[in-house]
Amino acid sequence: MEVRTRFAPSPTGYMHIGNLRTALYEYLIAKSQGGKFILRIEDTDQERLVEGAVDVIYNTMRTTGLQYDEGPDIGGDYGPYVQSERMGMYMDYAKELVEKGEAYYCFCTKERLESLKESNAEGAAFAKYDRHCLHLSPEEVQANLDAGLPFVIRQKMPDTGTTTFSDVVYGDITVDNAELDDQILMKADGFPTYNFANVVDDHLMKITHVVRGSEYLSSTPKYNLLYQAFGWEPPVYVHLPAVMRDAHHKLSKRHGDKSFEDLVNEGYLVEAIVNYIALLGWSPSDNREIFSLKELEEAFDMSGLSKSPSIFDIKKLTWMNGEYLKAMDFDKFYALAEPKLKEAMPNSNLDLKKIAALLQKRLETLNDIPKLVDFFQTLPEYDIALYTHKKMKTNPEIALSSLQAALPVLEGLQDWSSESIHDALMALVGELGIKNGQLLWPVRTALSGEPTSPGGAMELADILGKEESLRRIQIGIEKLQSA
């Protein structure tokens, strides 16, 4: 049997981390077993639709590399792949259940249903439908339909016994049927409910594995009873524990937690985000941490899924992102870094590739670039305390002496390159009989005006050019002399 999974988001806004993880696991379950991954848009809840949200879904799938084999924009053998375009079939399937005695028409008004909440002993939080319309005769039902009364179609749940289903992550779960409400299948507006459309579409699209959040565990018996009512084979269920902000709170956009788009905009690489999200609830057998998407396809196994909630650790993602940047082919890195460099240094005539080469091993995110290269544009105001460095065995007095010695040596260089600057400064260290750091730290500090910089004295001087380097060293000398 071919494995077929589906990602079935509702177009209600941004792509949050939990949603993307579900899509990723659906994709990996299919691809790791040579199966098909399907995209379906579930837009039956018309009130929650957000304009442009479908494009967000398409863009996220494309950006992350989660290529689906069937979907609204590419077609397939089981379309349409947008629920609102499948509307004609749901009522037919609901009526089939009515004919089987597995569902029934309900004509109760909103007012009557509200009164059930008021009279229910548990209060409004749980108001089980009292099956008032289940007992209508066929003649009464037909008379109501002929009169054009608004109706919903409800599933007739068993009221005795238990329903058990097996989940890949949580094992066997059993519920008492008496706890199940007669859920609505078709709403008064003619649209199917999420649960009903989900089951019908999954069956018709031959979906074999359903991945979703653990918050849906309680509704899964209803899904299984629907499959049973139709005489259909239920899928394999894979319920995932929540992705948490901390030990007590779920990730939530309302509370400022990041969406996928937010992370990309903050300078995180798509590959690193996908890699990190894959590990939020799944552990490879060898405890490895860095995976390309192709490597995830090869390594993924459902046995590695955990039932423990995962905490989204931005520090861990930041570390992983830095590892990706370090390992990246330089040309690819430069293509990503160049726009940030140009934005941070408009109209600069400095060699941006040389600057990028200094940055690559030091970045955590692409958005770190502007603050790391500010000094190339303008020498910041800085305190002479920066010239003191215990490890380099230097202080303002030593720094002044070193800069005064370095200035004429650098002025005399005809060939201005990193190599010639290195050779000249190292020769000067020998002549002065001092430690390397007692010359190189003061020169680096004078050139950058920063406590740290992405390159050392030679690299910075090479990039800044002879005229600007000499100017900055002279400023350093004057600062130290006037202190």
Side-chain angles (χ1 to χ4, degrees), residues 291-354:
F291 292 88
S292 67
L293 184 58
K294 186 67 179 173
E295 289 167 340
L296 282 170
E297 292 173 24
E298 295 166 357
F300 190 83
D301 190 294
M302 287 189 290
S303 63
L305 293 171
S306 169
K307 65 175 65 173
S308 301
S310 302
I311 294 178
F312 186 88
D313 183 351
I314 194 70
K315 290 181 180 178
K316 183 65 178 287
L317 172 60
T318 302
W319 166 81
M320 185 174 284
N321 200 69
E323 294 301 300
Y324 267 82
L325 289 168
K326 290 184 185 77
M328 188 176 284
D329 172 79
F330 178 74
D331 288 338
K332 183 179 178 182
F333 169 74
Y334 183 67
L336 295 171
E338 186 183 25
K340 302 280 186 184
L341 287 167
K342 287 184 173 179
E343 184 181 337
M345 299 189 295
N347 306 314
S348 173
N349 59 2
L350 300 182
D351 189 328
L352 298 185
K353 280 199 170 183
K354 285 185 177 180

Side-chain angles (χ1 to χ4, degrees), residues 49-250:
L49 301 188
V50 173
E51 187 175 352
V54 172
D55 290 332
V56 170
I57 294 167
Y58 288 149
N59 290 340
T60 304
M61 295 292 96
R62 182 169 55 250
T63 302
T64 54
L66 302 185
Q67 296 182 332
Y68 38 93
D69 301 287
E70 302 167 26
D73 54 337
I74 61 173
D77 295 335
Y78 301 94
Y81 294 90
V82 177
Q83 279 189 334
S84 60
E85 296 174 11
R86 301 168 65 85
M87 284 300 297
M89 69 179 72
Y90 299 117
M91 183 62 79
D92 292 339
Y93 279 102
K95 288 180 178 177
E96 178 185 327
L97 291 182
V98 172
E99 291 169 7
K100 286 183 171 184
E102 300 285 355
Y104 58 94
Y105 290 96
C106 174
F107 301 93
C108 290
T109 63
K110 285 183 179 179
E111 291 74 22
R112 183 177 187 280
L113 295 175
E114 286 297 321
S115 72
L116 289 180
K117 292 181 181 180
E118 294 169 11
S119 61
N120 190 280
E122 284 86 3
F126 178 75
K128 190 174 179 182
Y129 180 60
D130 62 359
R131 291 188 158 180
H132 172 77
C133 290
L134 174 61
H135 307 295
L136 296 176
S137 68
E139 294 75 21
E140 289 174 306
V141 169
Q142 191 59 52
N144 286 342
L145 292 174
D146 291 342
L149 292 184
F151 67 87
V152 301
I153 294 180
R154 291 181 181 271
Q155 183 181 2
K156 180 186 174 186
M157 293 293 186
D159 49 12
T160 60
T162 60
T163 294
T164 299
F165 71 94
S166 182
D167 181 76
V168 168
V169 177
Y170 290 88
D172 289 344
I173 294 176
T174 301
V175 298
D176 290 326
N177 291 332
E179 296 177 5
L180 303 177
D181 193 14
D182 285 0
Q183 67 174 337
I184 293 173
L185 305 181
M186 297 297 298
K187 297 180 285 188
D189 61 5
F191 274 77
T193 57
Y194 173 84
N195 287 354
F196 185 55
N198 217 270
V199 166
V200 172
D201 288 342
D202 282 347
H203 171 72
L204 294 178
M205 293 182 183
K206 301 187 183 300
I207 300 304
T208 61
H209 292 69
V210 170
V211 179
R212 58 189 180 203
S214 58
E215 65 269 23
Y216 292 103
L217 276 169
S218 61
S219 63
T220 302
K222 298 179 181 181
Y223 284 75
N224 264 20
L225 287 167
L226 266 177
Y227 279 99
Q228 188 175 309
F230 278 116
W232 297 340
E233 185 72 24
V236 174
Y237 292 109
V238 185
H239 286 86
L240 305 173
V243 180
M244 309 291 284
R245 183 196 328 146
D246 54 42
H248 306 290
H249 302 92
K250 286 185 181 181

Side-chain angles (χ1 to χ4, degrees), residues 385-452:
L386 287 184
Y387 286 104
T388 298
H389 195 296
K390 285 185 179 179
K391 186 177 178 183
M392 300 297 180
K393 301 186 185 308
T394 184
N395 56 37
E397 184 181 352
I398 295 171
L400 176 58
S401 173
S402 293
L403 292 181
Q404 287 174 325
L407 187 61
V409 169
L410 295 174
E411 281 177 329
L413 281 180
Q414 298 303 310
D415 170 34
W416 191 265
S417 66
S418 186
E419 294 79 10
S420 62
I421 296 165
H422 171 274
D423 293 346
L425 292 180
M426 294 313 294
L428 181 58
V429 165
E431 288 175 29
L432 297 174
I434 59 176
K435 302 284 188 184
N436 290 357
Q438 290 178 306
L439 177 65
L440 300 183
W441 182 262
V443 172
R444 186 214 65 83
T445 302
L447 294 175
S448 70
E450 297 282 7
T452 60

